[in-house]
Amino acid sequence: MIAHYGFNATLTARPGMGGRLVDLLLTGLDEGSPGASGHCVVYLVSRSASDPDVVHVTEGWTSEEDHHRIFAGEAARAIVAQVDELLAGQPEYTDYVPVRGRAAF
């Protein structure tokens, strides 16, 4: 599969909640969750090296439509609702169009 749509999200957790945020975001890879979809070709969760409450998520999807369709589902909405409870503010998003790369985890 090739990613034709993607984004980076920077999420800042409430103080001391960065680890919980990472754990929750990683459930997005569980069977039936958005990151386990065949339409999600990149799902990378990272922490800031200087602030453990800042978390970065990089996602690559087969299309923007597939991303929106998957995130309209119940599993994704449940994760997003839990994530929102842990955040200190609004996430920052940068959309992009993947050109070429490699993801091997």
Side-chain angles (χ1 to χ4, degrees):
M1 290 276 194
I2 296 173
H4 294 284
Y5 168 76
F7 63 88
N8 289 317
T10 299
L11 302 94
T12 302
R14 290 184 283 135
M17 300 300 287
R20 174 71 185 117
L21 179 58
V22 166
D23 291 344
L24 181 57
L25 290 167
L26 290 175
T27 69
L29 293 169
D30 294 348
E31 186 66 35
S33 294
S37 164
H39 297 286
C40 181
V41 296
V42 176
Y43 188 86
L44 176 64
V45 177
S46 306
R47 289 179 95 161
S48 166
S50 61
D51 184 343
D53 290 324
V54 174
V55 179
H56 304 281
V57 180
T58 300
E59 295 186 28
W61 291 81
T62 51
S63 72
E64 186 173 1
E65 294 78 19
D66 289 329
H67 171 261
H68 291 303
R69 182 176 45 77
I70 298 296
F71 269 78
E74 191 173 317
R77 288 193 319 243
I79 292 171
V80 169
Q82 293 175 61
V83 164
D84 286 346
E85 294 175 7
L86 298 174
L87 298 182
Q90 292 296 314
E92 297 176 27
Y93 290 93
T94 303
D95 290 350
Y96 55 81
V97 177
V99 176
R100 186 173 176 200
R102 180 184 151 161
F105 301 99

